[in-house]
Amino acid sequence: MGLFDSLMGRSKPPKPDLDQLFGIPSAAITLQASLDVIPTGRGSVAFRAPEGKAFSDVLAEVKALLTATSDPDLEVTQDTYGYTWLTITSSDISDLVTDLHAVNVSLQDAGFGPQLLVSLVGFRRGDQNFALVYLYKRGTFYPFAPVGEPRRDNILELQLRDLLTNDLRIEPDMTRWFPVWGAPGL
């Protein structure tokens, strides 16, 4: 950040800290103890898939890496906005987070970090599903609790925010808590 940016009150956004993902298992314990929430065993990484062989090679390496270290179910889909979602299903929350971290790091190390959008881990309370969403470019989390495509459970999202402040770096700017309607892994 330069002198001019300092004088104008501008600041750089925080760098992505993918190790923040490893806070999710402790957040899951907090959620289970406080709200009787359980992980769904599903998580996903969203990214803008560039064209070309280099990216398809990296994606193939990621799949090979994940299947070599564990046996998660992998699914690759595209949403209506053009983002690619790599969805992982695993029975253990720690393994799921490790796999999500490996996907993010592999894409970042291969130079595709700017294409990363979010990672999310799904949870369930009763019959309602919600997710903890990691914003790659901000290095923060926010809860997303859909109740149907145009509606969200804002009360639950605020409750989750307050409950998880000691476990995760929560995004303070709620205008950045954008909805991820129909996201795989929810």
Side-chain angles (χ1 to χ4, degrees):
M1 182 168 72
L3 178 62
F4 183 72
D5 289 332
S6 296
L7 293 173
M8 297 303 291
R10 297 181 193 144
S11 62
K12 286 187 177 182
K15 296 258 187 210
D17 180 6
L18 293 173
D19 289 344
Q20 292 294 317
L21 290 170
F22 292 117
I24 291 178
S26 67
I29 292 169
T30 300
L31 291 173
Q32 187 171 14
S34 302
L35 298 175
D36 200 28
V37 167
I38 59 169
T40 62
R42 296 189 66 190
S44 53
V45 177
F47 50 92
R48 175 86 57 195
E51 299 292 325
K53 182 171 174 16
F55 185 76
S56 61
D57 288 348
V58 169
L59 199 53
E61 289 174 19
V62 165
K63 289 179 184 179
L65 172 69
L66 294 181
T67 55
T69 57
S70 61
D71 191 23
D73 289 333
L74 301 173
E75 180 183 358
V76 179
T77 56
Q78 281 210 336
D79 66 16
T80 57
Y81 300 104
Y83 284 94
T84 300
W85 292 81
L86 178 64
T87 305
I88 302 169
T89 304
S90 179
S91 59
D92 182 68
I93 187 80
S94 296
D95 289 344
L96 176 64
V97 168
T98 300
D99 290 344
L100 291 171
H101 184 268
V103 170
N104 279 290
V105 168
S106 296
L107 290 171
Q108 178 181 291
D109 289 350
F112 298 109
Q115 280 79 19
L116 287 166
L117 179 65
V118 298
S119 294
L120 64 86
V121 176
F123 291 88
R124 178 177 297 121
R125 183 175 85 167
D127 61 350
Q128 182 177 15
N129 285 351
F130 66 90
L132 295 178
V133 181
Y134 177 76
L135 287 167
Y136 177 80
K137 289 179 177 42
R138 303 276 298 169
T140 56
F141 290 88
Y142 68 91
F144 174 63
V147 185
E149 176 110 6
R151 293 187 20 214
R152 298 164 72 165
D153 187 342
N154 298 107
I155 294 171
L156 177 59
E157 289 179 357
L158 293 174
Q159 186 178 19
L160 293 168
R161 175 198 65 186
D162 295 342
L163 189 61
L164 296 174
T165 56
N166 293 328
D167 293 304
L168 301 172
R169 187 184 302 158
I170 301 295
E171 174 58 48
D173 182 358
M174 291 177 54
T175 63
R176 295 188 184 270
W177 292 19
F178 61 88
V180 284
W181 304 115
L186 253 172

